Amino acid sequence: MSFKVVKLFNKIDTVVGHCFHCEEETVLVALVEDFYRCTNCGEDTKQYINGNIRYIKLSEDDKEWLKRNRPSV
């Protein structure tokens, strides 16, 4: 495995949280800051912090923002 690939994987932000799409506790992988994809069902969620951290469904505006700002790999 090349050094570049290993370096890329070290920057991936993962968390364990509750996905409101599949209703499971699962690993969520960051797409961009505050936006995560569920590894169980593949749906995207948004991190919401208000005293505790929650992962909520994306609004249509959030989905459009994510499409415009998702980094290319």
Side-chain angles (χ1 to χ4, degrees):
M1 194 179 288
S2 75
F3 178 72
K4 288 181 182 180
V5 172
V6 172
K7 189 174 178 182
L8 173 68
F9 285 118
N10 286 336
K11 293 183 180 183
I12 295 174
D13 182 23
T14 59
V15 297
V16 174
H18 181 82
C19 175
F20 282 93
H21 293 279
C22 64
E23 297 294 326
E24 297 288 333
E25 292 295 317
T26 185
V27 174
L28 302 165
V29 179
L31 301 170
V32 293
E33 187 175 338
D34 298 333
F35 290 90
Y36 291 80
R37 179 160 292 155
C38 176
T39 58
N40 188 45
C41 69
E43 292 292 330
D44 296 335
T45 59
K46 183 176 182 180
Q47 188 179 60
Y48 175 74
I49 302 174
N50 186 14
N52 60 11
I53 299 173
R54 297 168 145 226
Y55 298 91
I56 59 176
K57 292 181 181 179
L58 298 182
S59 67
E60 290 303 315
D61 289 339
D62 290 333
K63 290 177 184 178
E64 288 302 315
W65 183 92
L66 190 55
K67 285 179 187 175
R68 289 191 310 271
N69 294 289
R70 184 174 294 171
S72 59
V73 177

Coordinates of all heavy atoms in Angstrom, one line a residue:
M1 N 0.9 -1.2 0.0 CA 0.0 0.0 0.0 C 0.9 1.2 0.0 O 1.8 1.3 0.8 CB -0.9 0.0 1.2 CG -2.0 1.0 1.2 SD -3.1 0.9 2.6 CE -3.9 -0.6 2.4
S2 N 0.6 2.2 -0.8 CA 1.5 3.4 -0.9 C 1.2 4.3 0.2 O 0.2 4.3 0.9 CB 1.2 4.1 -2.2 OG 0.0 4.8 -2.2
F3 N 2.2 5.1 0.5 CA 2.2 6.1 1.6 C 1.0 7.1 1.4 O 0.3 7.4 2.4 CB 3.5 6.9 1.7 CG 3.5 7.9 2.8 CD1 3.5 7.5 4.1 CD2 3.4 9.2 2.4 CE1 3.5 8.5 5.1 CE2 3.4 10.2 3.4 CZ 3.4 9.8 4.7
K4 N 0.7 7.5 0.2 CA -0.4 8.4 -0.1 C -1.8 7.8 0.3 O -2.6 8.5 0.9 CB -0.5 8.8 -1.5 CG 0.7 9.7 -1.9 CD 0.6 10.1 -3.4 CE 1.7 11.0 -3.8 NZ 1.6 11.4 -5.2
V5 N -2.0 6.5 0.1 CA -3.2 5.9 0.4 C -3.4 5.8 1.9 O -4.4 6.1 2.5 CB -3.3 4.5 -0.2 CG1 -4.5 3.7 0.3 CG2 -3.4 4.6 -1.7
V6 N -2.3 5.4 2.6 CA -2.3 5.3 4.1 C -2.6 6.7 4.7 O -3.4 6.9 5.6 CB -1.0 4.7 4.6 CG1 -1.0 4.8 6.1 CG2 -0.9 3.3 4.2
K7 N -1.9 7.7 4.1 CA -2.1 9.1 4.6 C -3.5 9.6 4.4 O -4.1 10.2 5.3 CB -1.1 10.0 3.9 CG -1.1 11.4 4.5 CD 0.0 12.2 3.8 CE 0.0 13.6 4.3 NZ 1.0 14.5 3.7
L8 N -4.2 9.2 3.3 CA -5.6 9.6 3.1 C -6.5 9.0 4.1 O -7.4 9.6 4.6 CB -6.0 9.2 1.7 CG -7.4 9.3 1.3 CD1 -7.8 10.8 1.2 CD2 -7.7 8.7 0.0
F9 N -6.3 7.7 4.4 CA -7.2 7.0 5.3 C -7.0 7.5 6.8 O -7.9 7.4 7.6 CB -7.0 5.5 5.3 CG -7.6 4.9 4.1 CD1 -6.8 4.2 3.1 CD2 -9.0 5.0 3.9 CE1 -7.4 3.7 2.0 CE2 -9.6 4.4 2.7 CZ -8.8 3.8 1.8
N10 N -5.9 8.1 7.1 CA -5.6 8.6 8.5 C -6.5 9.9 8.7 O -6.7 10.2 9.8 CB -4.2 8.9 8.7 CG -3.3 7.7 8.9 OD1 -3.9 6.6 9.3 ND2 -2.1 7.7 8.6
K11 N -6.9 10.5 7.7 CA -7.7 11.8 7.8 C -9.2 11.6 7.8 O -9.9 12.5 8.0 CB -7.3 12.7 6.6 CG -5.9 13.2 6.7 CD -5.7 14.2 5.5 CE -4.3 14.7 5.6 NZ -4.0 15.7 4.5
I12 N -9.6 10.3 7.7 CA -11.1 10.1 7.6 C -11.6 10.1 9.0 O -11.2 9.4 9.9 CB -11.4 8.7 7.0 CG1 -10.9 8.7 5.5 CG2 -12.8 8.3 7.1 CD1 -11.0 7.4 4.8
D13 N -12.6 11.0 9.2 CA -13.3 11.1 10.5 C -14.4 10.1 10.6 O -15.3 10.1 9.8 CB -13.8 12.5 10.7 CG -14.4 12.8 12.0 OD1 -14.1 12.1 13.0 OD2 -15.2 13.7 12.1
T14 N -14.4 9.2 11.6 CA -15.5 8.3 11.8 C -16.0 8.4 13.3 O -15.2 8.8 14.2 CB -15.0 6.8 11.6 OG1 -14.0 6.5 12.5 CG2 -14.6 6.6 10.2
V15 N -17.3 8.2 13.5 CA -17.9 8.3 14.8 C -18.9 7.2 14.9 O -19.4 6.7 13.9 CB -18.6 9.7 15.0 CG1 -17.6 10.8 15.0 CG2 -19.7 9.9 14.0
V16 N -19.3 6.9 16.1 CA -20.4 5.9 16.3 C -21.5 6.8 16.8 O -21.4 7.6 17.7 CB -20.0 4.9 17.4 CG1 -21.2 4.0 17.7 CG2 -18.9 4.0 17.0
G17 N -22.7 6.6 16.1 CA -23.8 7.4 16.4 C -25.1 6.7 15.9 O -25.1 5.7 15.3
H18 N -26.2 7.4 16.2 CA -27.6 6.8 15.9 C -28.0 7.4 14.6 O -28.1 8.6 14.4 CB -28.6 7.2 17.0 CG -29.9 6.7 16.7 ND1 -30.3 5.4 17.0 CD2 -31.0 7.2 16.1 CE1 -31.5 5.2 16.6 NE2 -32.0 6.3 16.1
C19 N -28.3 6.5 13.6 CA -28.7 6.9 12.3 C -30.3 7.0 12.3 O -30.9 6.0 12.6 CB -28.3 6.0 11.2 SG -28.9 6.3 9.6
F20 N -30.8 8.1 12.0 CA -32.3 8.3 12.0 C -33.0 7.6 10.8 O -34.2 7.5 10.7 CB -32.7 9.7 12.1 CG -32.6 10.2 13.5 CD1 -31.4 10.8 14.0 CD2 -33.6 10.1 14.4 CE1 -31.3 11.3 15.3 CE2 -33.4 10.5 15.7 CZ -32.3 11.1 16.2
H21 N -32.2 7.3 9.8 CA -32.7 6.6 8.6 C -33.0 5.1 8.9 O -34.1 4.6 8.6 CB -31.8 6.8 7.4 CG -31.6 8.1 6.9 ND1 -32.6 8.8 6.1 CD2 -30.7 9.1 7.1 CE1 -32.2 10.0 5.8 NE2 -31.0 10.2 6.4
C22 N -32.0 4.4 9.4 CA -32.1 3.0 9.6 C -32.4 2.7 11.1 O -32.6 1.5 11.4 CB -30.9 2.2 9.1 SG -29.4 2.6 10.0
E23 N -32.4 3.7 11.9 CA -32.7 3.5 13.4 C -31.7 2.6 14.1 O -32.1 1.8 14.9 CB -34.2 3.0 13.5 CG -35.2 4.0 13.1 CD -35.2 5.3 13.9 OE1 -35.0 5.3 15.1 OE2 -35.5 6.3 13.3
E24 N -30.5 2.6 13.6 CA -29.4 1.8 14.2 C -28.3 2.6 14.8 O -28.0 3.7 14.3 CB -28.9 0.8 13.2 CG -29.8 -0.2 12.6 CD -30.3 -1.3 13.5 OE1 -29.5 -1.6 14.4 OE2 -31.4 -1.8 13.4
E25 N -27.6 2.0 15.8 CA -26.3 2.6 16.3 C -25.3 2.1 15.3 O -25.2 0.8 15.1 CB -26.0 2.1 17.7 CG -26.9 2.7 18.7 CD -26.8 4.2 18.9 OE1 -25.7 4.7 18.9 OE2 -27.9 4.9 19.0
T26 N -24.5 2.9 14.7 CA -23.7 2.5 13.6 C -22.4 3.4 13.5 O -22.4 4.4 14.2 CB -24.5 2.5 12.2 OG1 -23.6 2.0 11.2 CG2 -24.9 3.9 11.9
V27 N -21.5 3.1 12.7 CA -20.3 3.9 12.4 C -20.8 4.9 11.3 O -21.3 4.5 10.3 CB -19.1 3.0 11.9 CG1 -18.0 3.9 11.5 CG2 -18.7 2.1 13.0
L28 N -20.5 6.2 11.5 CA -20.8 7.2 10.5 C -19.4 7.8 10.1 O -18.5 8.0 10.9 CB -21.6 8.3 11.2 CG -22.9 7.9 11.8 CD1 -23.5 8.9 12.7 CD2 -23.9 7.6 10.7
V29 N -19.3 7.9 8.8 CA -18.1 8.4 8.1 C -18.3 9.8 7.6 O -19.2 10.1 6.9 CB -17.6 7.4 7.0 CG1 -16.4 7.9 6.3 CG2 -17.5 6.0 7.5
A30 N -17.3 10.7 7.9 CA -17.5 12.1 7.5 C -17.3 12.2 6.0 O -16.3 11.7 5.5 CB -16.5 13.0 8.2
L31 N -18.2 12.9 5.4 CA -18.0 13.3 4.0 C -17.3 14.6 3.8 O -16.3 14.8 3.1 CB -19.4 13.4 3.3 CG -20.3 12.2 3.4 CD1 -21.7 12.5 2.9 CD2 -19.7 11.1 2.5
V32 N -17.8 15.6 4.5 CA -17.2 16.9 4.8 C -17.5 17.3 6.2 O -18.3 16.5 6.9 CB -17.7 18.0 3.8 CG1 -17.3 17.7 2.4 CG2 -19.2 18.1 3.8
E33 N -17.0 18.3 6.7 CA -17.2 18.7 8.1 C -18.7 18.8 8.4 O -19.5 19.4 7.6 CB -16.6 20.1 8.4 CG -16.7 20.5 9.8 CD -15.9 21.7 10.1 OE1 -15.0 22.1 9.3 OE2 -16.2 22.3 11.1
D34 N -19.2 18.1 9.4 CA -20.6 18.1 9.9 C -21.5 17.2 9.1 O -22.7 17.1 9.4 CB -21.2 19.5 10.1 CG -20.4 20.3 11.1 OD1 -19.8 19.7 12.0 OD2 -20.4 21.5 11.0
F35 N -21.1 16.6 8.0 CA -21.9 15.7 7.2 C -21.3 14.3 7.2 O -20.2 14.2 6.9 CB -22.1 16.2 5.8 CG -22.9 17.5 5.7 CD1 -22.3 18.7 5.7 CD2 -24.2 17.4 5.5 CE1 -23.0 19.9 5.6 CE2 -25.0 18.6 5.3 CZ -24.4 19.8 5.4
Y36 N -22.2 13.3 7.6 CA -21.7 12.0 7.7 C -22.6 11.0 6.9 O -23.7 11.2 6.7 CB -21.7 11.6 9.2 CG -20.7 12.3 10.0 CD1 -20.9 13.6 10.5 CD2 -19.5 11.7 10.4 CE1 -20.0 14.3 11.2 CE2 -18.6 12.4 11.1 CZ -18.8 13.6 11.6 OH -17.9 14.3 12.3
R37 N -22.0 9.9 6.5 CA -22.7 8.8 5.8 C -22.7 7.6 6.7 O -21.7 7.2 7.3 CB -22.0 8.5 4.5 CG -22.7 7.3 3.8 CD -22.4 7.3 2.3 NE -23.0 8.5 1.7 CZ -22.5 9.0 0.5 NH1 -21.5 8.4 -0.1 NH2 -23.1 10.1 0.0
C38 N -23.9 7.0 6.8 CA -24.1 5.8 7.6 C -23.5 4.6 6.9 O -23.7 4.4 5.7 CB -25.6 5.6 7.8 SG -26.0 4.0 8.7
T39 N -22.7 3.8 7.6 CA -22.1 2.6 7.0 C -23.0 1.5 7.0 O -22.8 0.5 6.3 CB -20.8 2.2 7.7 OG1 -21.1 1.9 9.1 CG2 -19.7 3.3 7.6
N40 N -24.2 1.6 7.6 CA -25.2 0.5 7.6 C -26.1 0.7 6.4 O -26.3 -0.3 5.7 CB -26.0 0.5 8.9 CG -26.9 -0.6 9.1 OD1 -26.5 -1.8 8.8 ND2 -28.1 -0.4 9.5
C41 N -26.7 1.8 6.2 CA -27.7 2.0 5.2 C -27.3 2.9 4.1 O -27.9 3.0 3.0 CB -29.0 2.5 5.8 SG -28.9 4.3 6.4
G42 N -26.2 3.7 4.2 CA -25.6 4.5 3.2 C -26.2 5.9 3.1 O -25.9 6.7 2.2
E43 N -27.2 6.2 4.0 CA -27.8 7.5 3.9 C -26.9 8.6 4.6 O -26.1 8.3 5.5 CB -29.2 7.5 4.6 CG -30.2 6.7 3.9 CD -30.7 7.3 2.6 OE1 -30.6 8.5 2.5 OE2 -31.0 6.5 1.7
D44 N -27.1 9.8 4.1 CA -26.3 10.9 4.7 C -27.1 11.6 5.8 O -28.3 11.7 5.8 CB -26.0 12.0 3.6 CG -25.2 11.4 2.5 OD1 -24.4 10.4 2.8 OD2 -25.2 11.9 1.4
T45 N -26.3 12.0 6.8 CA -26.8 12.7 8.0 C -26.0 14.0 8.3 O -24.9 14.1 7.8 CB -26.9 11.8 9.3 OG1 -25.5 11.5 9.5 CG2 -27.7 10.6 9.1
K46 N -26.6 14.8 9.1 CA -25.9 16.1 9.5 C -25.7 16.0 11.0 O -26.6 15.7 11.7 CB -26.7 17.3 9.1 CG -26.1 18.6 9.4 CD -26.9 19.8 8.9 CE -26.3 21.1 9.1 NZ -27.1 22.2 8.6
Q47 N -24.5 16.4 11.4 CA -24.2 16.5 12.9 C -24.8 17.7 13.5 O -24.7 18.8 12.9 CB -22.7 16.5 13.1 CG -22.3 16.4 14.5 CD -20.8 16.4 14.7 OE1 -20.1 17.4 14.3 NE2 -20.2 15.3 15.2
Y48 N -25.5 17.5 14.6 CA -26.2 18.6 15.3 C -25.7 18.6 16.7 O -25.8 17.6 17.4 CB -27.7 18.4 15.2 CG -28.5 19.4 16.0 CD1 -28.6 20.7 15.5 CD2 -29.1 19.1 17.1 CE1 -29.4 21.6 16.2 CE2 -29.9 20.0 17.9 CZ -30.0 21.3 17.4 OH -30.7 22.2 18.1
I49 N -25.2 19.7 17.2 CA -24.6 19.8 18.5 C -25.4 20.8 19.3 O -25.5 22.0 18.9 CB -23.1 20.1 18.6 CG1 -22.3 19.1 17.8 CG2 -22.6 20.2 20.0 CD1 -20.9 19.4 17.6
N50 N -26.1 20.4 20.4 CA -26.8 21.3 21.3 C -26.8 20.6 22.6 O -27.8 20.1 23.1 CB -28.3 21.5 20.7 CG -29.0 22.5 21.5 OD1 -28.4 23.2 22.3 ND2 -30.3 22.5 21.4
G51 N -25.7 20.7 23.3 CA -25.6 20.0 24.6 C -25.1 18.6 24.5 O -24.5 18.0 25.3
N52 N -25.6 17.9 23.4 CA -25.1 16.6 23.0 C -25.1 16.5 21.5 O -25.6 17.3 20.8 CB -26.0 15.5 23.7 CG -27.4 15.5 23.2 OD1 -27.8 16.3 22.3 ND2 -28.3 14.8 23.8
I53 N -24.4 15.5 21.0 CA -24.2 15.4 19.6 C -25.3 14.4 19.0 O -25.5 13.3 19.6 CB -22.8 14.8 19.2 CG1 -21.8 15.8 19.7 CG2 -22.7 14.6 17.7 CD1 -20.3 15.3 19.6
R54 N -26.0 14.9 18.0 CA -27.0 14.0 17.3 C -26.7 14.1 15.8 O -26.1 15.0 15.3 CB -28.4 14.6 17.5 CG -28.9 14.6 18.9 CD -30.1 15.4 19.0 NE -31.0 14.9 19.9 CZ -32.3 14.7 19.7 NH1 -32.9 15.0 18.6 NH2 -33.1 14.2 20.7
Y55 N -27.2 13.1 15.1 CA -27.1 13.0 13.7 C -28.5 13.0 13.1 O -29.2 12.1 13.4 CB -26.2 11.8 13.3 CG -24.8 11.9 13.9 CD1 -24.5 11.3 15.1 CD2 -23.9 12.6 13.2 CE1 -23.3 11.5 15.7 CE2 -22.6 12.8 13.7 CZ -22.3 12.2 15.0 OH -21.1 12.4 15.5
I56 N -28.8 14.0 12.3 CA -30.2 14.2 11.8 C -30.2 14.1 10.3 O -29.2 14.2 9.6 CB -30.7 15.6 12.3 CG1 -29.8 16.7 11.8 CG2 -30.8 15.6 13.8 CD1 -30.3 18.1 12.1
K57 N -31.5 13.8 9.8 CA -31.7 13.8 8.4 C -31.4 15.1 7.7 O -31.5 16.1 8.3 CB -33.1 13.4 8.1 CG -33.5 12.0 8.5 CD -34.9 11.7 8.2 CE -35.3 10.3 8.7 NZ -36.7 10.0 8.4
L58 N -30.9 15.0 6.5 CA -30.6 16.2 5.8 C -31.8 16.9 5.2 O -32.7 16.1 4.7 CB -29.6 15.9 4.6 CG -28.2 15.3 5.0 CD1 -27.4 15.1 3.7 CD2 -27.5 16.2 6.0
S59 N -31.9 18.2 5.2 CA -32.9 18.9 4.5 C -32.5 18.9 3.0 O -31.4 18.6 2.6 CB -33.1 20.3 5.0 OG -31.9 21.1 4.7
E60 N -33.5 19.3 2.1 CA -33.2 19.4 0.7 C -32.1 20.5 0.5 O -31.2 20.3 -0.4 CB -34.4 19.8 -0.1 CG -35.4 18.7 -0.1 CD -34.8 17.4 -0.8 OE1 -34.1 17.5 -1.8 OE2 -35.1 16.3 -0.2
D61 N -32.1 21.6 1.3 CA -31.0 22.6 1.2 C -29.6 22.0 1.5 O -28.6 22.3 0.9 CB -31.3 23.8 2.1 CG -32.4 24.6 1.6 OD1 -32.7 24.6 0.4 OD2 -33.0 25.4 2.4
D62 N -29.6 21.1 2.6 CA -28.4 20.5 3.0 C -27.9 19.6 1.9 O -26.7 19.5 1.6 CB -28.6 19.6 4.2 CG -28.8 20.4 5.5 OD1 -28.3 21.6 5.5 OD2 -29.4 19.9 6.4
K63 N -28.8 18.8 1.2 CA -28.4 17.9 0.1 C -27.8 18.7 -1.0 O -26.8 18.3 -1.6 CB -29.6 17.1 -0.3 CG -30.0 16.1 0.7 CD -31.3 15.3 0.2 CE -31.8 14.4 1.3 NZ -33.0 13.7 0.8
E64 N -28.4 19.8 -1.4 CA -27.9 20.7 -2.5 C -26.5 21.2 -2.1 O -25.6 21.2 -3.0 CB -28.8 21.8 -2.8 CG -30.1 21.3 -3.5 CD -29.8 20.6 -4.8 OE1 -28.9 21.0 -5.6 OE2 -30.4 19.5 -5.0
W65 N -26.3 21.7 -0.9 CA -25.0 22.2 -0.5 C -24.0 21.2 -0.5 O -22.9 21.4 -1.0 CB -25.1 22.8 1.0 CG -23.9 23.4 1.4 CD1 -23.5 24.7 1.3 CD2 -22.8 22.7 2.1 NE1 -22.3 24.9 1.9 CE2 -21.8 23.7 2.3 CE3 -22.5 21.4 2.4 CZ2 -20.6 23.4 2.9 CZ3 -21.3 21.1 3.0 CH2 -20.3 22.1 3.2
L66 N -24.3 20.0 -0.1 CA -23.4 18.9 -0.1 C -23.0 18.5 -1.5 O -21.8 18.2 -1.8 CB -24.0 17.7 0.6 CG -23.1 16.5 1.0 CD1 -21.8 16.9 1.7 CD2 -23.8 15.4 1.7
K67 N -23.9 18.5 -2.4 CA -23.6 18.2 -3.8 C -22.6 19.2 -4.4 O -21.7 18.9 -5.1 CB -24.9 18.2 -4.7 CG -25.7 16.9 -4.5 CD -26.9 17.0 -5.4 CE -27.9 15.9 -5.1 NZ -29.1 16.0 -5.8
R68 N -22.8 20.5 -4.1 CA -22.0 21.5 -4.6 C -20.6 21.6 -3.9 O -19.6 22.0 -4.5 CB -22.6 22.9 -4.4 CG -23.8 23.2 -5.2 CD -24.3 24.6 -5.2 NE -24.4 25.1 -3.8 CZ -25.5 25.1 -3.1 NH1 -26.6 24.5 -3.6 NH2 -25.5 25.5 -1.9
N69 N -20.5 21.1 -2.7 CA -19.2 21.3 -1.9 C -18.5 20.0 -1.6 O -17.5 20.0 -0.9 CB -19.5 22.0 -0.6 CG -20.0 23.4 -0.9 OD1 -19.2 24.2 -1.3 ND2 -21.3 23.7 -0.7
R70 N -19.0 18.9 -2.1 CA -18.3 17.6 -1.8 C -17.0 17.5 -2.5 O -16.9 17.8 -3.7 CB -19.2 16.4 -2.3 CG -18.6 15.1 -2.0 CD -19.4 13.9 -2.3 NE -20.6 14.0 -1.4 CZ -21.7 13.3 -1.6 NH1 -21.7 12.4 -2.6 NH2 -22.7 13.4 -0.8
P71 N -15.9 17.3 -1.8 CA -14.6 17.2 -2.5 C -14.5 16.0 -3.4 O -15.1 14.9 -3.1 CB -13.6 17.1 -1.3 CG -14.4 16.5 -0.2 CD -15.8 17.0 -0.4
S72 N -13.8 16.2 -4.5 CA -13.6 15.0 -5.4 C -12.4 14.2 -4.8 O -11.5 14.7 -4.3 CB -13.2 15.5 -6.8 OG -12.1 16.3 -6.8
V73 N -12.5 12.9 -5.0 CA -11.5 12.0 -4.5 C -10.6 11.5 -5.6 O -11.0 11.4 -6.7 CB -12.2 10.7 -3.8 CG1 -11.2 9.8 -3.3 CG2 -13.0 11.2 -2.7

